[in-house]
Amino acid sequence: MRTKLVVGNWKMNCGIEETKILLESILKNYNGANLNNLLQVCVCPSFTSLSTAFKILESNTIALGAQDVSINDNGAFTGEVSIAMLKELDCQFVIVGHSERRMYFKESDELINKKVKKILENNLTPIICVGETLEQKENNQTKEVIKKQIHGVTNNLSNEDLLKIVIAYEPVWAIGTGKNATPDQAEEVHLFIRKLLTLKSTINVSESISIIYGGSVKPENSKQLVAMENIDGFLVGGASLKSNLFLEIIHSF
Ligand code: PEP
């Protein structure tokens, strides 16, 4: 059975004080949803709030994740954060290849693939984002784009590596727009991704990889989405900044 996962991507929101308030509010009403159904919950604050979140979550089952990582271990790389720094704070997950990083920071599949390898070498779990833009969707290029991204980001990963990754399908046109993919639209792409992963490995491997959906997930649509066979959880942006919404999404499992 695949692990179900709900990940909150806080993006560039919540300084230290807001992080305390948001996490305490989540914890107050979070009653160990992850004891059921193999559900893992994770929050990904900004780098400067990770240490605060680490202290608050220390004895909790909610995991900590980062929003990015450097491909370099240390040295003269101004502005970068290394994997060792994330390990010190007990981060278990790292988001890579988010469309905002692809778009604003020109990250390529090749670079994302290097980050994935760095994360796996250090026994953390990469949450690898893929997804098509509105223009690509309207030109019927969704599958072509997803295929290229999946091949690029998983290049040269062994079956053993593939078993340790999480894929997040995030159609760019659905991120922060209020327009989510319908359950059928998302399921079709998730199944397609699973088939691509089967071709890269074996059916047993691909059936074990969690593929989560992101793009305007909210309590109103989370139940229908998670009822789909190949949707194993969510990467949540906006709604993860409101404890009541995040908790409702968690409890839709
Ligand atoms: C995201 O940024 O990963 C995301 C899915 O954002 P939102 O939920 O706000 O669409």
Side-chain angles (χ1 to χ4, degrees):
M1 194 168 168
R2 292 189 287 273
T3 306
K4 304 278 182 196
L5 195 61
V6 177
V7 182
N9 175 14
W10 294 4
K11 311 193 186 189
M12 200 172 70
N13 295 294
C14 294
I16 290 174
E17 280 314 307
E18 288 166 306
T19 295
K20 279 186 197 158
I21 294 167
L22 179 54
L23 271 185
E24 273 155 17
S25 170
I26 293 172
L27 288 175
K28 202 163 79 186
N29 295 301
Y30 172 75
N31 47 16
N34 55 345
L35 296 178
N36 304 319
N37 303 328
L38 289 174
L39 177 65
Q40 174 68 65
V41 176
C42 168
V43 291
C44 303
S46 62
F47 287 130
T48 57
S49 290
L50 279 176
S51 157
T52 302
F54 163 65
K55 286 178 200 137
I56 297 174
L57 294 176
E58 231 175 354
S59 55
N60 204 280
T61 52
I62 295 182
L64 193 57
Q67 297 175 20
D68 192 24
V69 70
S70 172
I71 55 168
N72 297 295
D73 287 332
N74 62 283
F77 301 100
T78 303
E80 292 278 85
V81 172
S82 75
I83 193 91
M85 294 168 182
L86 300 182
K87 284 173 82 170
E88 268 190 316
L89 295 169
D90 206 18
C91 284
Q92 293 171 42
F93 295 88
V94 187
I95 299 172
V96 284
H98 192 281
S99 62
E100 287 151 15
R101 295 216 59 86
R102 290 175 183 264
M103 205 173 355
Y104 304 132
F105 304 99
K106 307 285 170 251
E107 292 201 1
S108 63
D109 289 327
E110 197 185 344
L111 177 72
I112 297 160
N113 177 246
K114 286 187 184 153
K115 292 187 179 188
V116 168
K117 288 177 182 157
K118 178 65 65 185
I119 295 163
L120 289 170
E121 275 163 25
N122 283 276
N123 298 316
L124 272 67
T125 302
I127 300 172
I128 313 171
C129 303
V130 295
E132 82 284 10
T133 63
L134 181 61
E135 193 186 357
Q136 291 164 334
K137 176 181 183 284
E138 287 174 347
N139 289 332
N140 290 321
Q141 291 172 312
T142 299
K143 289 191 174 163
E144 185 188 319
V145 170
I146 297 291
K147 186 173 173 183
K148 185 166 171 291
Q149 291 177 340
I150 289 287
H151 281 308
V153 297
T154 61
N155 188 33
N156 281 327
L157 295 191
S158 65
N159 285 356
E160 205 186 315
D161 289 334
L162 289 169
L163 283 168
K164 296 178 192 151
I165 66 170
V166 171
I167 300 283
Y169 169 55
E170 296 208 304
V172 181
W173 48 270
I175 297 180
T177 58
K179 285 185 218 153
N180 62 289
T182 64
D184 286 337
Q185 278 174 328
E187 172 66 14
E188 187 184 345
V189 180
H190 282 229
L191 181 60
F192 178 67
I193 293 172
R194 204 173 299 289
K195 285 186 178 156
L196 292 174
L197 294 169
T198 306
L199 293 175
K200 279 194 83 77
S201 57
T202 67
I203 185 99
N204 286 344
V205 169
S206 71
E207 281 294 328
S208 302
I209 300 174
S210 297
I211 305 176
I212 62 177
Y213 169 79
S216 297
V217 175
K218 31 192 185 295
E220 296 82 48
N221 55 32
S222 56
K223 266 213 168 74
Q224 292 101 304
L225 284 162
V226 87
M228 306 309 286
E229 193 169 335
N230 286 286
I231 299 183
D232 304 311
F234 301 121
L235 182 51
V236 189
S240 70
L241 297 170
K242 300 256 184 298
S243 63
N244 59 330
L245 301 185
F246 192 54
L247 286 162
E248 272 191 67
I249 293 168
I250 290 170
H251 288 118
S252 53
F253 284 80

